[in-house]
Amino acid sequence: MTLTVRSFLGGDEGSLAEDVLDGLTRPFKELPPKHFYDAAGAELFDRICDLPEYYPTRAERAILEARSDDIAALTGAAELVALGSGTAAKSRLLLSALAAAGTLRRYVPVDMTEEMIRTTGAALCADYPGLQVRGIVGDFERHLDRLGVPLEPRLVAMLGGTIGNFTPGARRRFLRHVGRLLGPRGTVLVGVDLVKDPARIEAAYDDAAGITARFNRNILRVVNRALRADFEPEQFEHVAFFDREHEWIEMRLRAQRRMTVRIADLGLTVEFAKREELRTEISAKFTPRRLAADLAAARLEPVELLTDPEGLFGLALARPVAAPQATSTRHAVAIPA
Ligand SMILES: C[S@@+](CC[C@H](N)C(=O)[O-])C[C@H]1O[C@@H](n2cnc3c(N)ncnc32)[C@H](O)[C@@H]1O
């Protein structure tokens, strides 16, 4: 078998239940963006990637089309780990470059949706003869250690700007954790949306066709189905704005009227005041300086920041900072005359 899939979700850990209980009982309500992606959410995200306003996917793809061969040569990777792998549309560019360089052996997609990992994994096995696909159905915030220690050069990619969904401190902790799983010959490749004209960023998260609004409301449908809740998604307005102080996008859902929501599986009743907002995503935007500071804090050494011709998006390639050589004290002992 070239395709194996292991799932670490389920059981009592139920992070959706925990996140709903925690996030909807706070004074400022919040749900984490990882819960957007059931099958409908993943399909809506694919549609977002094709929207004229949504530049990040096209810009990141342009970088990978131009530079995947260089990335393959620089990393010599035998294993590509994709964190938040999605449909692997862009990972394919890396896989092809690594296959052409003759180093590719294994692809390890990590995502929350088992169906997507299975379908994508089977297609990749067919398209890349000899490729081993070791899918991990899990939460990369909880199950990263399941990757184990690499025996061959590993490239860990987090594409799509997903790293921007962390708050700054959590982002650095996460990158540090990734760094520990690279092994001495490993490399990390992180896709980051770059700071630019706020109007252009806001348009990318509030498209004219209303697909992002549907994607945003989908999180309420996920909660309704998984936890027997009675949110009325259409009674929430999609809100997206660029926070100039933090340089991140916020997506929120604003209650159109006063509402009482019952979440049966949690025995929880949640009140929304008219115009009260629920935050569903932050998406941080980066300057080279912010990126360098994050990598340094995570003990990662930048190799190169690749950008598209318009300078919209960046792909940062980095390696673990080499551990200081242990100095032997034996030779420092003075030899008596
Ligand atoms: C913005 S999409 C990017 C998909 C793909 N990497 C791309 O560049 O097109 C984010 C992906 O990360 C996954 N994801 C988000 N949070 C996650 C988490 N905590 N653990 C595992 N996967 C997660 C989602 O299911 C989704 O497929």
Side-chain angles (χ1 to χ4, degrees):
M1 271 297 278
T2 52
L3 169 64
T4 54
V5 178
R6 289 186 302 159
S7 177
F8 300 102
L9 296 178
D12 298 333
E13 284 180 288
S15 88
L16 177 67
E18 283 169 22
D19 290 342
V20 169
L21 191 57
D22 181 36
L24 296 190
T25 54
R26 292 182 193 174
F28 175 52
K29 297 183 176 64
E30 181 162 26
L31 287 174
K34 63 184 167 198
H35 300 303
F36 282 129
Y37 298 92
D38 63 347
E43 196 197 317
L44 285 166
F45 180 71
D46 271 358
R47 290 178 64 185
I48 289 172
C49 291
D50 290 335
L51 290 168
E53 295 95 334
Y54 198 75
Y55 61 83
T57 307
R58 280 187 296 280
E60 191 178 39
R61 170 172 273 279
I63 304 169
L64 288 169
E65 280 169 353
R67 301 297 303 273
S68 284
D69 289 343
D70 297 333
I71 296 169
L74 270 164
T75 62
E79 181 181 271
L80 173 64
V81 177
L83 300 179
S85 47
T87 54
K90 283 169 290 170
S91 293
R92 278 175 175 269
L93 295 165
L94 291 169
L95 290 170
S96 294
L98 293 169
T103 59
L104 179 67
R105 290 164 60 85
R106 199 172 308 107
Y107 174 60
V108 184
V110 181
D111 211 297
M112 310 258 295
T113 318
E114 177 157 357
E115 184 56 31
M116 191 159 58
I117 288 195
R118 285 196 181 278
T119 314
T120 309
L124 291 174
C125 286
D127 293 348
Y128 296 87
L131 179 70
Q132 303 166 7
V133 179
R134 303 272 177 265
I136 296 184
V137 183
D139 180 339
F140 53 57
E141 291 183 65
R142 294 188 293 148
H143 304 121
L144 216 50
D145 286 331
R146 303 293 177 154
L147 287 172
V149 178
L151 301 174
E152 297 169 294
R154 171 182 276 171
L155 170 60
V156 176
M158 185 177 239
L159 303 179
T162 305
I163 191 75
N165 295 150
F166 289 97
T167 50
R171 185 167 76 221
R172 291 179 173 194
R173 271 200 308 280
F174 180 77
L175 285 171
R176 185 175 272 234
H177 194 171
V178 170
R180 287 199 294 268
L181 295 166
L182 294 178
R185 292 179 294 161
T187 324
V188 62
L189 182 70
V190 190
V192 289
D193 194 7
L194 300 175
V195 171
K196 60 185 71 62
D197 175 10
R200 180 133 195 215
I201 301 178
E202 283 177 349
Y205 291 82
D206 194 9
D207 62 280
I211 308 297
T212 316
R214 285 174 58 193
F215 175 74
N216 196 4
R217 289 188 196 102
N218 190 59
I219 204 164
L220 303 181
R221 297 202 166 83
V222 169
V223 176
N224 277 352
R225 201 183 47 249
L227 300 174
R228 291 189 301 134
D230 61 3
F231 276 107
E232 294 176 70
E234 296 310 319
Q235 296 302 317
F236 286 83
E237 180 190 354
H238 168 66
V239 176
F241 66 91
F242 185 65
D243 176 329
R244 285 170 168 72
E245 185 193 344
H246 296 104
E247 293 189 311
W248 66 43
I249 272 282
E250 290 214 10
M251 291 213 307
R252 297 182 179 187
L253 288 166
R254 182 184 292 144
Q256 299 283 64
R257 55 175 169 78
R258 199 173 166 277
M259 273 180 270
T260 301
V261 177
R262 176 84 185 143
I263 301 165
D265 283 2
L266 301 180
L268 183 69
T269 300
V270 182
E271 301 290 344
F272 281 86
K274 185 173 177 181
R275 297 190 64 75
E276 184 176 346
E277 293 178 356
L278 157 67
R279 185 162 75 177
T280 51
E281 176 170 308
I282 67 161
S283 180
K285 307 304 164 193
F286 290 77
T287 55
R289 196 171 159 174
R290 172 166 299 143
L291 194 57
D294 282 353
L295 293 177
R299 298 195 51 74
L300 292 165
E301 187 174 28
V303 177
E304 203 173 341
L305 174 61
L306 313 169
T307 59
D308 58 293
E310 278 189 85
L312 299 174
F313 202 87
L315 272 177
L317 202 56
R319 293 199 168 111
V321 172
Q325 294 289 318
T327 47
S328 167
T329 50
R330 277 189 301 165
H331 303 293
V333 176
I335 300 171

